[in-house]
Amino acid sequence: MTMMKSPAIPTTGEETGENEGSDAVPPIFRRAALALPLVLIAAFLVLDVMAPGGSKVTEINPGDAASYFGVTHSLLFDRDFDLTNEYARLHPDPSSCVTVRPETGLPGSPFAIGSSLLRIPFLAAGTAVDWAAGLPADGYSRYALFFNGLGNVIFTGIGLVMLFGFLCNSSASLVPNVPGRTRGGISL
C-alpha cells in the first residue's frame, strides 16, 4: 500500500514566487514597533519634568491609580490585601468600591490585581533607589513613584508591540494577497 504525501505548504516568498512583501511583519515596521516603548519612555520623562497641569505624571491621583498603587504597595510592604493604611495616605475618590467591604471588614479595590502584581518589581527598585539616595524607603518617595509610573509605561509599550504583532499576523491570514508593507502600515 502506497501512502500519498501531502504537498508542503510554502511559507516564504521565495518558495511561492512572491516578492519581499510576503512577510507578515516587514522589518521596517518591526523596528518601528520595537522603538515604540522607547518613545513612550522618552515622552514619560519629558512630561514628568514639564509637569503639565501643575502636577508630575508620577504623582498618584485619587482616581483609579490610587487603588492600583494601593494594592501594589500593600502587597510589597505589608504582604496583605488590607488597604487601610494605603488609602489613609492616598485619599482615593470616595466610592462604594473603596469603602469597607462587609465580607472582610477592609476597604476594597474594584480592580483586578494583575497590573499591581506586575508593578511590584518597579516599586521595589524605586524604593531601593530612594534608600540609596537617602530618601525615606517607604514606597511613597520620589523614585518609588517614578519607577511605578515607568512600569506602567513599559507595560503599555509592550502591550502595544504585542497588539501590533497580532494585527500584522491576523491581516496576513485575512488578506494574504496584500503585500507585507501595506499590511504593516494598516496595522500600525
Side-chain angles (χ1 to χ4, degrees), residues 24-107:
V25 183
I28 188 168
F29 293 110
R30 209 173 298 131
R31 286 189 296 274
L34 293 177
L36 181 63
L38 299 176
V39 171
L40 291 174
I41 290 169
F44 173 75
L45 295 172
V46 169
L47 287 173
D48 193 49
V49 170
M50 289 176 53
S55 65
K56 293 184 165 281
V57 295
T58 56
E59 290 179 9
I60 305 298
N61 66 33
D64 296 355
S67 292
Y68 283 116
F69 181 79
V71 171
T72 302
H73 190 276
S74 185
L75 289 173
L76 179 63
F77 288 92
D78 305 336
R79 294 177 182 80
D80 63 20
F81 289 101
D82 182 0
L83 304 176
T84 305
N85 56 341
E86 282 78 20
Y87 283 174
R89 178 111 185 226
L90 298 171
H91 308 293
D93 288 335
S95 73
S96 61
C97 296
V98 298
T99 58
V100 174
R101 303 277 174 112
E103 308 88 28
T104 62
L106 302 171

